[in-house]
Amino acid sequence: MTPDVVAEHGLSAAEYDKILDILGREPNLTELGVFSVMWSEHCSYKSSKKWLKKLPTEAPWVICGPGENAGVIDIGDGQAAVFKMESHNHPSYIEPYQGAATGVGGILRDVFTMGARPIANMNVLRFGDASHPKTRHLIAGVVSGIGGYGNCVGVPTVGGECAFHGSYDGNILVNAMTVGIADADKIFYSAATGAGNPVVYVGSKTGRDGIHGATMASVEFTDNSEEKRPTVQVGDPFTEKLLIEACLELMATDVIVAIQDMGAAGLTSSSFEMASKGGVGVDLNLDQVPAREENMTAYEFLLSESQERMLMVLKPGEEDTARKIFEKWELDFSVVGRLTDTGRMVILEKGEVAADLPIDPLALASPEYDRPWVVAPSADVRVADVPAPGPIFTLLKNLMGSPDLCSKRWIWEQYDHLVMGDTVQRPGGDAAVVRVRDTQKALAITTDCTPRYCLADPVMGGKQAVAETWRNLTAVGAQPLAITDNLNFGNPERPEIMGQFVGAIEGIGAACTALDVPVVSGNVSLYNETNGEAILPTPAIGAVGLLADYTQAVGLAFPGDGLAVYMIGENQGHLGQSLYLREIAGREEGRPPPVDLDRERKIGDFVRGEIGRGVITSCHDISDGGLLVALAEMALAANIGVTITAAGGTLSDHAWAFGEDQARYLVTAEGKNFVALVEEARLLVTCIGRTGGVALVWGDQTLALDELRAAHEGWLPDYMAG
């Protein structure tokens, strides 16, 4: 095997030497391909697993933490929520429609593989600067792909986030999250057991699409990356829907020993992972794998990432039971192998041995790197040095019409967010709320991350990402239970990038511990950079919480006129790394706002408790853009204005209005004694103003809601129209 061939497979010389030690011989090309995908960054987590082990993953309500297809938490009444978030960044840049669509398909399979019926999708999107010539094309393709796949499958897309920054010009982020519901005692796992048990292939036929997709996602882009289109899979949502129904029907029969979807690295990854987890071997006959193209080689069969495929181990003699179900749903079904007690993967093609590999040394002995890392310090920004170039309401209107803060209605209106009929709160609020069918319960779901914070201070940025999702769930009245993460970073071989990762992990771990929300699943996506220019560090957090009674959920819209609006929490006017600083002052600098986790916990628990008691009637956490942006969002949601009576005191108006201090909520409340109630809890509370009219009013300034709405709603449709 020549050094060039080894390098083309994404393996270093040291890694190839390790392969020689494991095998005691040179691999053939098929075997080299297997090592290549299994030891890719995307599949092996070789740069990150040292640090991932530090994250808290346990709680009494956690049924299954990281290591399976998705995380599982107990939500009472014998039911479980199953969820995960995963990236499809690299394919979505190369081929935006199919890349995004198959990202949705893959995460759906991760969830229903566990025995859960998917009930909701979310997504986290990051695009390049609006002025970049490719951005409009990428947005159109990605949004269409997400909507096209999710809408056809019939699972509502209920929320997410979308933001823009020049660092994503050559490497966009498309992170997809799915949540499902299962019986807590009927969770399915991927560990294959029982020598002699049949290994069956179900779903779509295998083609040549997606070969080396995992390897492609484990290197940085160059100017020639669009030549990698053949590595992008092609999805079929209608087949996915059939596959969901067929799998769930089979799961009701008690014949499945283990099940795994064929995601990254396809048949290779699924078979090796199942065998390794169960401590067994596999004899695999590629002649039995359903193929949609002629003359496919063993290499192509093993490395294809064709979509809508599953691998199962069945109880002995139950092949016909399963076959009838899959044939009824017009899906391929084939017995492709048997489990053995050899601990080896023996792959046959046309009666010959195409590959003979030890399973555990390959699956468990993948490289684990302790890469060098450094953290770059950042200096803070003095509020006094930040200008206010115009009246406050003019600045507000500019902010509300900026790419990050503008309404994303143009996006979510392309998604079916009402299918299945259980969506209680639609996109646009702090968190989506989806009813658990035939119960009073509901799940609250949210995603969030502030990459500019993570760049300036990875530890604080990691804390903030978790804290904000926790606040988002709290703001609708839900008890946060657990998170999934999608850790998007640049090239880990650069110490400053690895430092971002290490710091973010530290911050996420600290916040998860303090706020009692363990990590139950996740994904790492590295090498998100082009020609040496990395994305902003983006550790996206997806969080799930529980409402015992969905009718108690509150939203951000003011419930009526004549209501006092209160801010709970402290306003210090922190402008470092704020959107105000970037969008108005044209500066990206400073430290992010500090995150006090004890204060987050204390204030959030109070707010959630008062929502549950019916005292707080609307609620919105204060985050990007600060206090005045949050107030404007509440007013627009209700089409009810506010007369602002508070002022900044010792703070300048723009710092008071647009500072991004953490651990703050805006609320309306029933009763006359709300201030006393908050003060009794030893929390800070300020009356900001009173609802009424159709404008924002502050002293001698007035901003009509219609004018504000035009700025807020107009940017994205106008931009996409060209």
Side-chain angles (χ1 to χ4, degrees):
M1 202 67 66
T2 68
D4 285 350
V5 172
V6 172
E8 284 170 5
H9 283 75
L11 294 162
S12 69
E15 288 168 347
Y16 186 68
D17 288 342
K18 191 173 182 178
I19 292 170
L20 296 180
D21 288 341
I22 290 172
L23 294 182
R25 58 175 174 83
E26 281 210 353
N28 61 35
L29 187 63
T30 298
E31 292 169 335
L32 185 70
V34 169
F35 274 101
S36 167
V37 293
M38 290 295 291
W39 287 10
S40 68
E41 190 73 60
H42 193 76
C43 290
S44 75
Y45 296 89
K46 57 191 177 187
S47 298
S48 60
K49 52 190 174 186
K50 167 184 167 71
W51 301 101
L52 296 174
K53 295 171 186 174
K54 299 178 180 292
L55 292 171
T57 60
E58 296 179 351
W61 53 91
V62 174
I63 296 172
C64 176
E68 274 291 340
N69 288 287
V72 186
I73 57 173
D74 192 328
I75 59 170
D77 308 312
Q79 293 180 304
V82 181
F83 60 100
K84 187 183 180 183
M85 183 158 49
E86 198 161 70
S87 63
H88 235 223
N89 305 334
H90 293 72
S92 297
Y93 181 79
I94 295 170
E95 181 51 69
Y97 184 95
Q98 292 296 348
T102 51
V104 174
I107 197 64
L108 282 166
R109 288 194 297 281
D110 280 340
V111 167
F112 74 74
T113 298
M114 303 293 293
R117 178 172 291 281
I119 65 165
N121 291 330
M122 304 279 283
N123 52 75
V124 173
L125 309 178
R126 292 288 186 279
F127 297 104
D129 192 272
S131 64
H132 192 275
K134 289 196 68 170
T135 298
R136 188 181 287 106
H137 160 74
L138 291 167
I139 296 171
V142 165
V143 171
S144 185
I146 292 170
Y149 203 100
N151 296 354
C152 291
V153 171
V155 178
T157 300
V158 294
E161 54 167 347
C162 173
F164 301 79
H165 189 274
S167 71
Y168 306 103
D169 282 349
N171 200 127
I172 63 174
L173 301 187
V174 178
N175 298 172
M177 177 179 174
T178 293
V179 181
I181 298 290
D183 291 339
D185 60 350
K186 294 178 181 175
I187 304 300
F188 289 81
Y189 298 98
S190 58
T193 57
N197 283 348
V199 179
V200 301
Y201 170 118
V202 301
S204 290
K205 290 178 169 62
T206 295
R208 291 186 170 94
D209 55 321
I211 292 173
H212 274 301
T215 310
M216 175 269 290
S218 303
V219 293
E220 64 182 83
F221 279 161
T222 67
D223 290 333
N224 300 319
S225 289
E226 290 191 25
E227 296 173 1
K228 297 180 178 182
R229 275 200 172 89
T231 64
V232 179
Q233 315 93 320
V234 178
D236 178 358
F238 299 103
T239 301
E240 181 97 343
K241 175 63 175 172
L242 298 177
L243 190 59
I244 292 173
E245 298 303 331
C247 286
L248 292 177
E249 184 174 336
L250 184 63
M251 287 166 167
T253 64
D254 194 33
V255 305
I256 298 174
V257 175
I259 181 170
Q260 174 80 34
D261 94 286
M262 292 192 221
L267 186 56
T268 294
S269 182
S270 55
S271 57
F272 272 89
E273 286 178 7
M274 291 175 79
S276 180
K277 287 177 181 177
V280 295
V282 183
D283 286 349
L284 198 63
N285 186 353
L286 297 181
D287 298 340
Q288 301 304 312
V289 175
R292 67 166 186 263
E293 300 184 49
E294 295 182 354
N295 301 316
M296 289 185 63
T297 64
Y299 185 99
E300 291 169 331
F301 271 117
L302 289 169
L303 271 61
S304 166
E305 294 183 8
S306 296
Q307 297 292 285
E308 294 86 39
R309 303 179 300 158
M310 311 287 282
L311 203 64
M312 299 183 188
V313 176
L314 301 181
K315 293 180 178 178
E318 297 291 354
E319 293 94 325
D320 285 345
T321 302
R323 186 187 307 274
K324 288 175 182 175
I325 290 172
F326 282 92
E327 287 180 350
K328 181 185 79 172
W329 290 99
E330 300 182 344
L331 295 166
D332 278 288
F333 177 97
S334 181
V335 179
V336 296
R338 298 277 169 183
L339 299 186
T340 68
D341 59 3
T342 64
R344 299 188 71 83
M345 182 73 66
V346 180
I347 297 164
L348 298 175
E349 182 190 34
K350 298 181 175 62
E352 303 288 328
V353 175
D356 184 350
L357 295 164
I359 290 170
D360 276 354
L362 196 155
L364 301 179
S366 62
E368 179 174 327
Y369 295 129
D370 184 5
R371 298 194 184 278
W373 57 275
V374 296
V375 175
S378 60
D380 213 351
V381 167
R382 293 197 323 151
V383 171
D385 296 336
V386 180
I392 289 294
F393 280 174
T394 301
L395 302 177
L396 172 66
K397 192 170 81 169
N398 291 341
L399 268 177
M400 293 288 286
S402 65
D404 276 15
L405 286 176
C406 74
S407 169
K408 302 306 186 297
R409 182 185 300 275
W410 183 90
I411 294 175
W412 57 257
E413 282 190 339
Q414 297 184 53
Y415 306 150
D416 190 337
H417 47 272
L418 297 175
V419 64
M420 299 178 74
D422 292 316
T423 305
V424 178
Q425 288 200 24
R426 303 181 182 191
D430 288 297
V433 179
V434 181
R435 184 169 59 96
V436 179
R437 184 161 294 183
D438 301 323
T439 75
Q440 282 293 109
K441 296 184 299 199
L443 296 180
I445 313 162
T446 188
T447 57
D448 225 302
C449 180
T450 313
R452 61 189 186 275
Y453 292 179
C454 298
L455 179 68
D457 184 336
V459 176
M460 201 63 72
K463 288 181 182 179
Q464 193 273 342
V466 175
E468 187 167 345
T469 59
W470 193 85
R471 286 200 304 272
N472 288 341
L473 297 177
T474 293
V476 299
Q479 177 65 53
L481 291 177
I483 70 163
T484 182
D485 56 35
N486 203 143
L487 308 174
N488 307 275
F489 292 81
N491 184 344
E493 297 166 48
R494 293 165 56 194
E496 67 273 21
I497 301 295
M498 200 64 214
Q500 295 169 0
F501 185 88
V502 171
I505 289 286
E506 181 185 335
I508 291 168
C512 288
T513 299
L515 302 175
D516 216 10
V517 281
V519 181
V520 297
S521 59
N523 173 238
V524 177
S525 176
L526 302 177
Y527 296 95
N528 290 286
E529 58 182 76
T530 302
N531 296 329
E533 294 294 319
I535 64 165
L536 292 180
T538 312
I541 304 295
V544 174
L546 181 66
L547 283 146
D549 183 351
Y550 70 88
T551 64
Q552 293 183 337
V554 300
L556 56 78
F558 297 136
D561 292 327
L563 301 173
V565 182
Y566 302 100
M567 180 183 72
I568 304 174
E570 187 176 0
N571 195 346
Q572 296 182 333
H574 191 100
L575 289 176
Q577 294 299 333
S578 66
L579 280 183
Y580 176 91
L581 189 69
R582 190 182 82 192
E583 298 295 329
I584 305 300
R587 294 159 54 186
E588 297 184 56
E589 58 189 89
R591 296 195 184 105
V595 178
D596 183 328
L597 294 168
D598 291 337
R599 183 182 299 169
E600 290 279 5
R601 182 70 184 259
K602 188 176 181 182
I603 295 176
D605 286 351
F606 172 83
V607 168
R608 189 183 319 105
E610 297 311 309
I611 292 174
R613 293 201 309 122
V615 174
I616 289 177
T617 53
S618 68
C619 183
H620 189 24
D621 91 301
I622 301 174
S623 53
D624 280 348
L627 167 62
L628 201 54
V629 166
L631 192 68
E633 289 170 341
M634 295 179 82
L636 288 174
N639 202 33
I640 298 173
V642 183
T643 297
I644 300 168
T645 55
T650 58
L651 295 176
S652 62
D653 283 352
H654 63 290
W656 182 85
F658 304 118
E660 295 182 4
D661 307 287
Q662 302 294 292
R664 294 184 297 162
Y665 300 81
L666 286 176
V667 305
T668 58
E670 295 280 355
K672 298 179 180 179
N673 300 316
F674 185 69
V675 170
L677 188 69
V678 181
E679 290 175 343
E680 188 180 329
R682 299 188 176 183
L683 302 175
L684 287 174
V685 60
T686 308
C687 182
I688 299 298
R690 190 166 292 275
T691 66
V694 289
L696 300 181
V697 181
W698 193 10
D700 60 356
Q701 296 185 63
T702 299
L703 178 59
L705 291 185
D706 285 350
E707 184 181 346
L708 180 61
R709 190 183 311 279
H712 184 54
E713 297 274 2
W715 185 85
L716 190 53
D718 290 350
Y719 174 74
M720 294 307 298

